[in-house]
Amino acid sequence: MTAVYRRVRSGWRTVSGIGGPGCARGRCSTPWYQEHLEMEAKGRRPPPRPQEVKSSILSCPGVPSVDSMTRESLCEHLAQNVVYMAGPLVAISKPQGLPITAGNAEGNSVMSVLPELQRILQIKSELHVVKAAPKETSGLVLFSSCYVTTKKFEDFYSECRRSARPLATFWAVTLGVPNPSKGEIKVALKVEKIRDLDLVVPVMHPSKGSLERRDVKRTETRYQVLRSADGCSLLQLQPMSVYREQLLVHCSLQFCPVLGDHTYSSRVAKILGQNIFVPLDLATPRPQRIEETILRRMHVTEEQVHRIPLHLHLQLLLMPDDPSAAHPTHLTAPPPPYFQRTMELLRLKMK
């Protein structure tokens, strides 16, 4: 069905023609509490109450994998999540798991639907990417239709890196609260093959040769706890370097794996209430281990843990200073619905 879009102050929104998948409400002659009591009597775990299923983060929009979306539905989703559009600049908030360029010809990506997106937004000039959230995260993607503007932004971001000025700010929900609540994470990283998987590992004492050959790279992330409650936290992360999966590895090194990190969270464990690091050859990717109290608050079962999406979001991006005030000093994008729902359930909601 063809979508009709109208431009509003916060972006582009569908006004007709798009219908989301509805929630079927089944009718049952047996009250939920009767089934609950019967299963308890048999020593079996009762099913969750209907309102618990409804309030689960897994029922929020945007949780299904982007791989299951058609090109048309993906394009419609991106068009509805335009957060800024003025002059040659366009910014969208992309869903978690969507790459900018596809790894293969069949996979969905931002670039694969860019021509359709330009037609919907009525942009005649070709758009190209200026800055973008990595595949594994949700958040901002900035486009430009002017190469002069793009060069201006690239020079600005290079100057930010030289002057140690954070140009991007991420939000992350983590299992754990870092101590101290504000600081820097500095560690060298490299990619190492572990059980046929290419994973990022820390290098505590990198040699001068490995750094010169660029086999190892020094990385840095600034962090700050924005909110914390019951062993979970909402972190502000500002990477001062660029490296594959840097933020996920850095959070794990603080004993605070990002919620939904099913790759590096296995490197952290607890024994008698004390945090320990698991040897890298044993910490293979697997569904994240989450305490039962947190799962109950999120209304998620252990069998559903592997479906929890990564809670890492590119929330803010700096813009070059503009004396004419043609564009703002920074761009922001709200976290996706499942991220915001998690913040509510874990009492991490910002005022």
Side-chain angles (χ1 to χ4, degrees):
M1 186 178 294
T2 303
V4 180
Y5 295 90
R6 178 176 64 197
R7 189 178 181 187
V8 295
R9 185 174 182 180
S10 60
W12 291 78
R13 295 293 182 266
T14 307
V15 295
S16 65
I18 297 180
C23 297
R25 296 186 177 180
R27 297 185 178 272
C28 180
S29 58
T30 304
W32 70 266
Y33 52 82
Q34 183 174 336
E35 183 180 5
H36 186 287
L37 295 174
E38 289 175 355
M39 294 191 71
E40 274 193 333
K42 296 178 182 179
R44 296 166 57 190
R45 176 179 293 183
R49 292 175 58 172
Q51 59 265 36
E52 292 177 339
V53 173
K54 185 177 180 181
S55 62
S56 168
I57 68 162
L58 299 180
S59 63
C60 293
V63 170
S65 170
V66 294
D67 293 332
S68 64
M69 300 173 70
T70 64
R71 286 174 58 91
E72 181 181 7
S73 63
L74 175 59
C75 189
E76 290 170 353
H77 177 86
L78 296 178
Q80 292 178 48
N81 284 274
V82 172
V83 296
Y84 180 79
M85 186 173 180
L89 299 175
V90 178
I92 63 172
S93 184
K94 81 172 186 69
Q96 184 268 331
L98 178 67
I100 301 302
T101 57
N104 54 66
E106 299 178 356
N108 278 329
S109 69
V110 173
M111 297 303 294
S112 69
V113 298
L114 194 56
E116 291 93 331
L117 183 62
Q118 289 182 194
R119 284 197 294 270
I120 290 177
L121 301 181
Q122 299 179 359
I123 299 174
K124 296 181 180 180
S125 302
E126 181 182 357
L127 290 175
H128 44 270
V129 178
V130 178
K131 205 72 177 174
K135 172 186 175 181
E136 64 270 13
T137 74
S138 59
L140 287 164
V141 180
L142 178 61
F143 300 95
S144 170
S145 60
C146 172
Y147 284 99
V148 174
T149 301
T150 300
K151 183 65 166 59
K152 176 183 176 181
F153 273 72
E154 290 175 347
D155 292 343
F156 170 70
Y157 292 141
S158 296
E159 178 58 31
C160 285
R161 284 188 287 269
R162 284 194 296 268
S163 60
R165 181 183 179 187
L167 58 92
T169 298
F170 290 76
W171 279 5
V173 175
T174 64
L175 302 176
V177 183
N179 185 21
S181 61
K182 182 178 181 180
E184 299 176 342
I185 307 166
K186 295 182 178 180
V187 65
L189 298 177
K190 72 172 183 177
V191 176
E192 184 174 303
K193 188 172 288 295
I194 301 176
R195 297 191 180 185
D196 297 328
L197 296 172
D198 290 330
L199 300 174
V200 178
V201 300
V203 181
M204 294 299 109
H205 303 288
S207 66
K208 182 178 179 181
S210 64
L211 292 170
E212 291 176 348
R213 293 190 304 270
R214 298 186 179 181
D215 296 333
V216 179
K217 181 176 180 178
R218 297 189 188 277
T219 61
E220 177 184 350
T221 299
R222 297 177 184 176
Y223 73 89
Q224 181 177 351
V225 177
L226 300 179
R227 296 277 290 181
S228 64
D230 302 321
C232 297
S233 58
L234 175 65
L235 290 189
Q236 173 183 284
L237 302 170
Q238 295 178 318
M240 306 305 295
S241 56
V242 179
Y243 198 79
R244 165 188 162 183
E245 296 161 350
Q246 170 180 321
L247 296 181
L248 299 181
V249 176
H250 281 188
C251 286
S252 293
L253 290 174
Q254 291 294 110
F255 295 112
C256 297
V258 178
L259 179 62
D261 176 9
H262 306 297
T263 302
Y264 296 102
S265 63
S266 57
R267 296 179 179 180
V268 178
K270 280 190 177 183
I271 294 182
L272 300 177
Q274 298 296 317
N275 290 316
I276 65 165
F277 288 120
V278 178
L280 296 179
D281 58 335
L282 300 178
T284 54
R286 60 172 177 266
Q288 191 172 36
R289 292 179 179 176
I290 304 176
E291 293 181 7
E292 187 176 353
T293 54
I294 298 176
L295 288 178
R296 283 201 300 267
R297 285 187 178 170
M298 297 173 64
H299 307 297
V300 174
T301 65
E302 290 185 6
E303 294 76 17
Q304 295 174 320
V305 166
H306 70 281
R307 293 177 51 200
I308 296 178
L310 186 69
H311 284 60
L312 183 60
H313 177 74
L314 177 51
Q315 185 260 344
L316 183 146
L317 192 62
L318 284 186
M319 303 269 276
D321 295 332
D322 186 2
S324 65
H327 57 70
T329 58
H330 61 270
L331 297 175
T332 60
Y338 70 83
F339 195 116
Q340 298 188 45
R341 180 59 178 156
T342 297
M343 291 166 60
E344 293 175 357
L345 294 173
L346 300 183
R347 296 185 290 187
L348 301 174
K349 193 73 173 178
M350 295 288 290
K351 293 183 180 179

